[in-house]
């Protein structure tokens, strides 16, 4: 096949299969790490062996593809924030949780609530990472913007799973975005204690400025 004449394509395919294998089968980290280390040494042996030969054999190609398969699984595991030790889910308690977070995105509001994606920086006095969706009641006069550092003390709720086999699974979609929980806040349950001037903060400032300019002209 002509496809095999371009190694970068087959290596990329192996990497993609590694990502998919970790996504569907979710092996333990120790297993992924162990296989990656073993396959790296096998690949190293195959590479040194191939340098001593005039023509490369199939052993080098197979070891290369298996290594990138394992690297793909390893990469997907690391990019899944819930697998990290400092993910907020490791610090949650059964009732209310004290949260410090930064608003990173503004979503389309519902009838009763404004919706935001927030990055949790501190959960129950522990420095953490992770994202949740924050619902804030529209009746409150508090105006939240991207970059605002907020504090709240609320209970976390998991997203409802899809019950029908062919229905769009919103909870699964959010899990792929590393979002696993939601929080509902009523009036006066959120405090703004600062501003984090991130890249998203400046982009939002530019967007608001352009929007205001369009309205004037």
């Amino acid at each position: 096949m002509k496809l095999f004449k371009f190694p970068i394509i087959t290596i990329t395919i192996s990497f993609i299969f590694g990502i998919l294998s970790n996504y569907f089968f979710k092996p333990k980290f120790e297993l992924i790490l162990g296989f990656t280390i073993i396959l790296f040494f096998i690949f190293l042996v195959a590479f040194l062996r191939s340098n001593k030969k005039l023509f490369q054999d199939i052993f080098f190609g197979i070891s290369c593809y298996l290594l990138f398969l394992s690297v793909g699984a390893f990469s997907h595991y690391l990019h899944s924030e819930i697998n990290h030790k400092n993910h907020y889910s490791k610090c949650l308690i059964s009732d209310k949780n004290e949260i410090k977070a930064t608003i990173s995105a503004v979503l389309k509001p519902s009838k009763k609530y404004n919706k935001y994606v927030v990055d949790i920086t501190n959960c129950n006095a522990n420095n953490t990472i992770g994202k949740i969706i924050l619902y804030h009641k529209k009746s409150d006069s508090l105006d939240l913007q991207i970059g605002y550092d907020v504090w709240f003390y609320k209970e976390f709720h998991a997203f409802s799973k899809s019950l029908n086999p062919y229905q769009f699974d919103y909870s699964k979609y959010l899990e792929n975005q590393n979002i696993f929980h939601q929080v509902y806040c009523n009036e006066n349950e959120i405090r703004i204690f600062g501003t984090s001037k991130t890249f998203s903060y400046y982009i939002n400032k530019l967007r608001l400025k352009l929007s205001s300019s369009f309205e004037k002209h």
Side-chain angles (χ1 to χ4, degrees):
M1 293 177 65
K2 293 183 178 180
L3 178 66
F4 292 98
K5 293 182 179 180
F6 303 95
I8 188 64
I9 296 177
T10 49
I11 288 173
T12 302
I13 293 173
S14 298
F15 186 82
I16 293 171
F17 272 110
I19 293 174
L20 294 175
S21 65
N22 187 73
Y23 177 80
F24 287 107
F25 300 110
K26 294 179 173 56
K28 292 184 178 180
F29 176 72
E30 293 78 8
L31 185 63
I32 300 173
L33 181 62
F35 268 109
T36 303
I37 294 173
I38 293 171
L39 289 171
F40 173 76
F41 282 108
I42 293 175
F43 169 79
L44 191 62
V45 170
F47 176 76
L48 296 174
R49 180 170 172 265
S50 67
N51 282 339
K52 297 179 181 179
K53 290 191 171 186
L54 183 61
F55 299 101
Q56 293 184 5
D57 56 17
I58 195 171
F59 179 68
F60 174 78
I62 292 175
S63 64
C64 180
Y65 297 142
L66 288 176
L67 174 62
F68 275 90
L69 181 78
S70 182
V71 169
F74 187 76
S75 176
H76 183 268
Y77 183 93
L78 292 180
H79 281 84
S80 299
E81 293 181 352
I82 198 169
N83 294 323
H84 293 215
K85 291 182 179 179
N86 61 337
H87 192 262
Y88 72 85
S89 60
K90 311 295 192 298
C91 306
L92 292 180
I93 55 180
S94 57
D95 297 323
K96 293 183 178 180
N97 299 275
E98 183 181 5
I99 299 297
K100 292 180 181 178
T102 302
I103 296 175
S104 58
V106 179
L107 304 178
K108 185 178 179 180
S110 61
K111 291 183 179 180
K112 294 183 179 180
Y113 291 93
N114 292 316
K115 295 170 59 177
Y116 308 91
V117 176
V118 299
D119 295 327
I120 297 178
T121 56
N122 192 285
C123 175
N124 296 321
N126 296 286
N127 293 327
T128 57
I129 61 171
K131 301 175 183 177
I132 63 169
I133 291 184
L134 171 66
Y135 291 83
H136 178 235
K137 210 162 190 180
K138 284 184 173 180
S139 58
D140 195 342
S141 59
L142 188 65
D143 182 26
L144 299 178
Q145 299 291 336
I146 293 175
Y148 282 10
D149 297 320
V150 295
W151 175 96
F152 50 89
Y153 185 66
K154 294 292 293 183
E155 184 179 359
F156 279 48
H157 301 277
F159 295 97
S160 300
K161 298 290 185 180
S162 175
L163 300 178
N164 299 325
Y166 300 105
Q167 183 182 2
F168 173 68
D169 193 343
Y170 185 59
S171 64
K172 194 68 177 178
Y173 166 78
L174 290 175
E175 286 180 10
N176 293 333
Q177 311 299 316
N178 283 314
I179 300 175
F180 300 91
H181 292 93
Q182 56 191 339
V183 169
Y184 289 85
C185 288
N186 297 320
E187 295 185 28
N188 304 318
E189 290 185 331
I190 300 177
R191 299 177 189 172
I192 301 173
F193 65 89
T195 303
S196 295
K197 296 184 178 181
T198 61
F199 178 74
S200 298
Y201 169 82
Y202 288 108
I203 289 294
N204 184 59
K205 283 289 184 183
L206 178 61
R207 182 185 65 82
L208 294 175
K209 186 177 181 180
L210 291 174
S211 180
S212 177
S213 177
F214 292 152
E215 289 177 2
K216 290 179 181 179
H217 301 287

